[in-house]
Amino acid sequence: MPPASEQAAWNVALIGNPNTGKSTLFGAMVGVHQRVGNYPGVTVEKKTGEYTFEDGRYELVDLPGLYSLAPRSRDEMVAVDLLIPRRADAAPVDAVVCVVDASNLQRHLYLVSQILELGLPTVVALNMLDVAGDHGITLDATRLEQRLGVPVVPLQANRRIGIEPLRTALASIVGQASRAPESPFPEAFQREVTQVESELADRPVSESENRPLPRYLVERLLLDVNGYLQGVLLGEDDRESAQRVAQSRARLQEAKLEIPGVETASRYGWAEQILEGVVTQPREYRRTTSDRIDRVLTHRFWGMLLFALVMVVLFQAVFSWAEPLMGLIEDGMGMAGRWVESGMQPGPLRSLLVDGVIAGVGGVLVFLPQILILFLFIAVLEDCGYMARAAFLMDRVMVRVGLSGKSFIPMLSSFACAIPGIMAARVIENERDRLTTIMVAPLMTCSARLPVYSMLIAAFIVPNHTFVFGLLSLQGLVLTSLYVLGIVTAVVAALVLKKTILRSEPTPFLMELPSYKWPSARTVCFRVLQRGWVFLRCAGTMILAISIVVWAALYYPHDSETVEPPFRQRQEAVETRLEALSADDPAGAELKAELVRIENEMAGAYQRQSVLGKMGQWIEPVVRPLGWDWRIGCAVLASFPAREVVVATTGVIFNLGEDFDSEAEEDGKLMRARLRAATREGTDRPLFTTPVALSLLVFCALCAQCAATLVVIRRETNSWRWPAFTFSYMTTLAYLGAMATYQLGTWIAGL
Amino acid sequence: MVQELVSLNSLLAGQSARVGKIVGRADHVHRLEEFGIRGGTKVQMFQPGNPCIVRLAGSKFCLRADDLLRVFVRPS
C-alpha cells in the first residue's frame, strides 16, 4: 500500500549489531535532518531522520544496536515493539534495513534470520567490506543475495560508498506485500509454536488491542527463559498462560528440542547453509593495526598506565581548558546583571531578574564549557573504540565492588554531571547492576560541586601552605581529598547495596572490542552538541525554576510594616545628625557608614522573617551538631534543589546587599572577606572556623542536592522509590559525615 | 587424537582452540551462543587473564569467567 498522501513518508527501521557502522550509515542516509526524541512511554532515545528519493519520502529510525531480537531489557523491547507493534497507534514499519558486518558474517546472519522471520520487506546492508578484506576474508555478495532472497547492498558507510544503491534498493521494496516468513526451526518446534499460538489466541496482545499475540512473540515466549518478555507480555497475574508456556517447554524438552539451545542451533545451522560457498575464511587471521594497538592498550601494565594517563589528560582538560571560557561566561552574566540593574527601578521585578533569573541561569551556563569538553573527550574515546578497552581494563577493579566494567562509563560521565551518567547506565543489562550504578553515580564529584568547593576552600583554607617543594598546596590537597571522598563513598555504597537490597548474581561480562578507527568529526560534533543541548534544556529549565522559587522564599513576605520601623527610627536619627553637620566634617563619613550598616541589618532582618529564613531558624537545632548556625542552614536548605545555588544563597544571606552588586569584579574577594568576617550572631566569635568549613564541604560532597538528578532517576527507574532512596541515603550520609568532621575537627583543634 | 577439554582461561596468548562446552545458566549460555561462541567455533586467545580477550572470526571480545559461566575448549 503506497502512502496515503504526498505528505506521508515510508517508515524504515535501521537495525544491526552494535559496532557495525549503523549510526554512520544513518548519518550518511539522512544527513543533518535528524531528530532525537523518546519512544512513547519510555525514555529510550529515538533517533529519526528523513530523506527524499525519487519523489518518495522516507523516515528512518535508528534502533539501538542489538545482537539478537530477543528482548531482555527496555532498550531491546523498544526495537521489538517498533518492528511488531503491540499498540494500535504505533505506525507499522514499511521496511527494514539490516546492517551486517562483512568481517563476521556468520554471527550477523543470526539477527538477519530473526528479522527475515518477521516477513517484513527487508534489505541487507553489507558494511565493512574493507575490514573483511584486511582480515583476508572474501565474499560473493550476488550469491548471498540469491540465497537470502532479499536485496543485499555492499557498502562502506564511513566513506559514503553504496548509499545511492541502498536507497534504490529500499525504493524497490517499500510497498511490497510482506514476504512469506521463513523459519529456520525444525518442524516439531514450529508445530509447537502453532499450538501455543492457538492456545493463547483468546488472549489480547494488550489491554487496548483486541487481537492475538503475533506469532514471533509467541515463539519468543517459548524461547526466552529469563522471564523478562513473559513479564512484559503476560504480566504477573496471568497464571494460566504462563502455565501453557511452561507445559509447551516441557513437551519440547521431551522431544529433545532444548530450550533455548534450539534457537542458536537452528539459526546458526541456517547461516552455515547460506554462507556455504559464499564466504571464504583465511586459514589464519591476519594481524591488523587494531591488534597491534591492542597489544599495548589492553596490556596488564602498559594498558593501565596509558589508561591512567588518558584520565589525567581528560580531567586536566576539563578543569584547565574550560577556565577561560567559564570566565567569559561569568563576565557576560555580570554585565547583563549590571545592565538590568542600571536600567530598572529597584523592586521585586528587578530583584527577580538580577538575583533570580540571571544569577540562576548564569549558574548553569558556567558549567557548559566543562561539560562540553568532557563530552568531547567521551565522544572521541567512544567513537575511536577506546571506551570498550577502558571498560575491559576497569572490569578488574569494578568486579571487586560487585559491578562490571560496563558501569565505568556512567561513573566517568558523572564527573561532569550525574544526569548523562545516569542515562549512560542504560547499556548495563543486569537490572540490579544498573540500579546500583544509578544510585552511586550522584556521589561522583560533578562540576556543580566545583563552585561550592572553590568558594569555601578559597575562603577558609590557608593558601600559602605548600608541601613537596611547592608542588602540592593545602588548597589543592583539600580539593583532591573531596574528589577521593566522593569516589570512596561511591565504592563503599556500591558494595553495601550489592550485598543487601540489590544483591544479584553477577551477569557474565561479555563485550565486543570493535576495531579502532579515526573518530569521525561529524559523529563527535553531533553527539557533543546533542548532549550539551539535552543538559542545557534539562538542567536549565529546572534550575531557572528553582532560582525563582529560592529567590521568592528569601524575598517574601517582605513585610515592611513589621520589619522597618525600628530601623527607620535609627536611620532618621543618624540622618538628622548628618544634616546638622557641615559637608566637610570628618564625622560625616562615619555617619554614612553607620547608615550602610543599618541598611544591611535591615536586609538581614528581612531575610530572617522571609519564608526561607524562618525555615532556617526552625532547623537550627538540627544543624547545630554540624557547627552551623541558622544562616548556613538556610543556604544549605535553599540549595537542595540545585547545589550550585549554595554560592548565590550564601552571598545573599551573608548580607551581600544590593549595594555590593555594583562592585561585581570585586565580588569574589568581597565574598571571601564577608565570609571570613561573619560571626556567630550576638558574639564576636568567627562563624566559619576550619572545622565548620570542612563540615560544610563534606556535607556538599555527599548530599543529594540536585532535583534534576532525582527526576532523571525517577524517569530511568520508572518509580519514585529509587529517587527517594537515593535522596535519603545520601542526605543521611552527608549529615553523619559533616557531624563527624565537625566534632572530630573541634576535638583536634582543642588538643 | 581427541584433546581434553580445558578452561578457556588456561589458553596462552596466540593459542587457538575449538569451543567444546559452555557451563552456566541457560540464558547466560544462550547469550554467549547468540554472540557466536558455541560448540565447535574456533577461538584464539589474544590477551590472557580474567577478563580475557579472545578473537572470534574477524572480531575480538572480552569475557570474564566466573563460577556462573565457564567456557571449556579443546586446544588445537
Side-chain angles (χ1 to χ4, degrees), chain A residues 68 107 264 291 505 511, chain B residues 25 33-35 59-60 62:
Chain A
S68 164
R107 191 187 79 200
T264 40
D291 292 343
E505 288 180 5
M511 198 180 54
Chain B
R25 238 173 62 185
E33 290 182 341
E34 287 184 336
F35 221 83
S59 60
K60 277 190 297 234
C62 62

Side-chain angles (χ1 to χ4, degrees), chain B residues 37-61:
Chain B
I37 306 151
R38 57 200 185 90
T41 10
K42 192 177 146 196
V43 291
Q44 189 188 23
M45 180 57 72
F46 182 82
Q47 184 74 254
N50 200 14
C52 59
I53 300 179
V54 174
R55 190 206 297 281
L56 170 89
S59 60
K60 277 190 297 234
F61 65 92

Side-chain angles (χ1 to χ4, degrees), chain A residues 651-668:
Chain A
V652 181
I653 289 169
F654 286 91
N655 279 354
L656 282 161
E658 304 211 342
D659 292 346
F660 294 97
D661 276 358
S662 49
E663 304 163 45
E665 49 274 76
E666 284 291 302
D667 236 19

Side-chain angles (χ1 to χ4, degrees), chain A residues 380-448:
Chain A
V380 168
L381 293 179
E382 259 178 3
D383 205 48
C384 72
Y386 185 72
M387 269 308 185
R389 275 74 180 181
F392 162 76
L393 290 170
M394 288 314 283
D395 183 68
R396 248 169 277 178
V397 181
M398 301 299 263
V399 78
R400 293 192 191 173
V401 289
L403 296 171
S404 81
K406 288 192 177 170
S407 296
F408 170 72
I409 299 167
M411 301 278 204
L412 180 64
S413 307
S414 300
F415 278 106
C417 175
I419 294 167
I422 287 165
M423 295 200 288
R426 287 173 188 162
V427 296
I428 306 167
E429 309 98 359
N430 184 324
E431 191 61 19
R432 294 186 156 211
D433 281 7
R434 192 172 77 95
L435 277 174
T436 310
T437 310
I438 290 177
M439 301 291 107
V440 303
L443 280 169
M444 296 294 156
T445 303
C446 66
S447 50

Side-chain angles (χ1 to χ4, degrees), chain A residues 419 448 539 542-550 612 634-646 649 703-711 727:
Chain A
I419 294 167
M542 179 71 83
I543 287 175
L544 178 60
I546 290 160
S547 310
I548 293 173
V549 170
V550 168
L612 192 61
C634 235
V636 168
L637 206 62
S639 54
F640 264 96
R643 56 172 60 86
E644 54 273 35
V645 174
V646 85
T649 40
C703 194
Q705 288 173 312
C706 182
T709 300
L710 296 176
V711 170
F727 179 78

